[in-house]
Amino acid sequence: MEGSTSWQMMVKLEIGWEKKKGKHHLIQNLYEDSHLESIYGLHTIAHRCDMWEALRRIDSQMNNSWLIMGDFNAIRDIEDRVNGTVVQENEIKDFRSLMEDCRLNEVGTVGRSYTWRNSRFYSRIDRAIVNAHWMINMPPMQVHVMDPQFSDHSPLCIELEVELEHKGRPFKFFNCLAEHPDFDSIIRDIWNKENRSMKDIWHNLKSVKVALKSLNKREFTSTTNEVQQLREELANIQAQMRTTTTIADMFESERNAKNQLEKWSTIEESIYRQRSRIQWLQLGDTNTAFFFASMKGRAA
C-alpha cells in the first residue's frame, strides 16, 4: 500500500510443530486464512489520508485474521518521538482514529524502543498492528525491533508461536471485593492488631492480602459460570411461565433469578473492565471480540 516495504521487514515463522503436533493442521489453516498488509506511508499528513481510508475499506470487508505491518511514517502517541519538534495533536489523531474505528491492537515489541533515527532524533513510525480476529485466533506473537545496520530504519522481525514466560500471578484487587458483605469485617479484624512499628504494618498488609486472595478465590473465580447458570435457571423458570395458570411462587422465583443475574453480570463486567484496562469501556462491550482481543493483548 503506497509502495512496498519488504526491504524493511523480515517475517520469521517459528511454528514449533514438534512441540504442538496436535495443533499442526489448525495452525496451518489459520495461517492460510490470514492476511498481511505491507505499509509504506507517505511523508505528509495530507498525503497519508488516502492510506487511512484504504485501510478502513479493507477492514469493512475483512472477515479473517489481519496483520498490518511496515513504515506508517506516522506516530500514534506523544512518546513516539524524542529530541525532535513537539508532537502536535494533528500528527497523531488520524492514526488513533484508525485504531479505534477498526478495532485494531498493536503487537508487543522487544528490542529497540524506536524504529527510526536521524542524527539525534528518534521516532517510532514502524510497527505491526492486528485486528481482533488475529488476536483471538492466532498463536502468541511479538515483534523484534532489530538494529538498523546501514539503514535509518530498524527492521521488524515477527516471531510467531512465542513461548511466553510463565511467572507467578500478582495479586489483583478487584472492586467487587469491596462490595462483599465480609470485606469490612476482614479488614477491621486484621487491622485492629498491633500497629506499633512499620514491621507490624507490613505484616498486617500481608495478612490483608492473604485474606482478600482467599475471599476472591472463594467467591469470584467462577463468575462466568455463575452468570451462565443463572441465565439457564431464569430461562427454565420463564419456560414454566408460558401459560396464564402460573402459580404465584413462580413470579417470586423469577424476580429473585433476575436480581441475582443482574448482580453477577455487573460483577463479571467489573472484573473484565479491570482486567482489560480499557478506560473507555462502555456497558455491553464485554460481548465484543475487540474486548477479548484487547484483554489478550494486555496479557501478552
Side-chain angles (χ1 to χ4, degrees):
M1 180 172 296
E2 296 190 6
S4 173
T5 55
S6 58
W7 59 273
Q8 284 187 6
M9 63 182 176
M10 297 184 294
V11 178
K12 178 182 179 184
L13 305 179
E14 293 188 352
I15 311 304
W17 302 126
E18 294 79 13
K19 294 182 180 179
K20 300 191 177 183
K21 292 180 180 178
K23 293 185 178 179
H24 179 104
H25 297 295
L26 172 63
I27 295 177
Q28 186 177 31
N29 290 337
L30 286 173
Y31 291 147
E32 290 174 353
D33 292 338
S34 62
H35 296 263
L36 168 64
E37 203 76 42
S38 180
I39 296 294
Y40 180 69
L42 297 180
H43 292 81
T44 67
I45 296 174
H47 287 139
R48 285 192 295 269
C49 290
D50 290 341
M51 179 181 71
W52 305 129
E53 290 307 313
L55 288 172
R56 283 186 172 87
R57 286 196 299 271
I58 295 173
D59 173 72
S60 65
Q61 304 170 8
M62 183 63 63
N63 296 316
N64 298 320
S65 299
W66 190 27
L67 167 64
I68 312 165
M69 184 175 176
D71 176 12
F72 289 84
N73 241 318
I75 57 177
R76 202 189 71 174
D77 299 297
I78 295 175
E79 298 80 11
D80 285 346
R81 186 168 66 214
V82 296
N83 297 337
T85 57
V86 177
V87 176
Q88 303 296 322
E89 175 65 22
N90 64 334
E91 295 182 76
I92 61 179
K93 66 177 183 179
D94 291 337
F95 204 161
R96 286 188 172 183
S97 295
L98 174 78
M99 298 287 287
E100 293 178 9
D101 294 345
C102 300
R103 303 296 183 95
L104 301 171
N105 284 277
E106 184 171 359
V107 180
T109 61
V110 295
R112 300 172 70 92
S113 300
Y114 299 94
T115 64
W116 181 84
R117 184 189 67 189
N118 181 11
S119 183
R120 63 186 183 89
F121 304 115
Y122 293 82
S123 65
R124 190 162 179 241
I125 56 178
D126 307 86
R127 57 198 349 128
I129 55 179
V130 294
N131 64 353
H133 194 282
W134 181 292
M135 289 296 298
I136 292 174
N137 296 292
M138 296 294 279
M141 65 177 284
Q142 61 186 11
V143 175
H144 291 262
V145 182
M146 306 173 70
D147 292 330
Q149 297 184 4
F150 60 85
S151 174
D152 54 356
H153 284 266
S154 293
L156 304 182
C157 175
I158 295 182
E159 184 177 353
L160 295 174
E161 200 65 12
V162 177
E163 290 293 335
L164 300 177
E165 182 180 358
H166 295 284
K167 300 180 180 179
R169 291 185 177 181
F171 173 64
K172 296 180 180 179
F173 180 87
F174 295 120
N175 294 335
C176 57
L177 287 172
E179 299 175 4
H180 193 275
D182 296 338
F183 177 80
D184 289 342
S185 60
I186 289 174
I187 301 298
R188 189 182 304 110
D189 293 343
I190 294 175
W191 211 249
N192 283 339
K193 296 178 181 179
E194 192 173 20
N195 283 296
R196 293 185 177 181
S197 65
M198 285 302 299
K199 186 176 182 180
D200 294 335
I201 294 175
W202 180 80
H203 279 297
N204 288 345
L205 286 172
K206 295 284 286 185
S207 299
V208 167
K209 175 181 175 180
V210 172
L212 292 182
K213 286 180 70 175
S214 176
L215 176 63
N216 181 68
K217 184 176 181 180
R218 186 173 70 249
E219 299 288 342
F220 300 111
T221 54
S222 58
T223 53
T224 300
N225 291 336
E226 186 73 26
V227 169
Q228 183 61 34
Q229 290 174 8
L230 287 168
R231 284 175 178 163
E232 293 174 358
E233 179 183 340
L234 180 60
N236 290 333
I237 292 174
Q238 291 179 343
Q240 301 174 47
M241 299 173 64
R242 291 172 182 169
T243 64
T244 57
T245 58
T246 302
I247 58 177
D249 290 346
M250 295 298 295
F251 290 100
E252 184 64 25
S253 297
E254 182 191 31
R255 187 180 302 108
N256 292 335
K258 283 183 177 180
N259 291 337
Q260 286 296 309
L261 179 57
E262 182 180 3
K263 168 191 169 183
W264 283 99
S265 294
T266 302
I267 291 173
E268 180 190 40
E269 182 158 344
S270 172
I271 292 174
Y272 279 148
R273 183 193 302 267
Q274 289 185 254
R275 283 180 176 173
S276 68
R277 301 185 190 177
I278 300 177
Q279 299 302 318
W280 41 262
L281 179 68
Q282 299 297 317
L283 185 64
D285 279 355
T286 52
N287 295 323
T288 65
F290 178 62
F291 175 85
F292 289 102
S294 299
M295 214 164 60
K296 184 177 178 182
R298 296 293 306 187

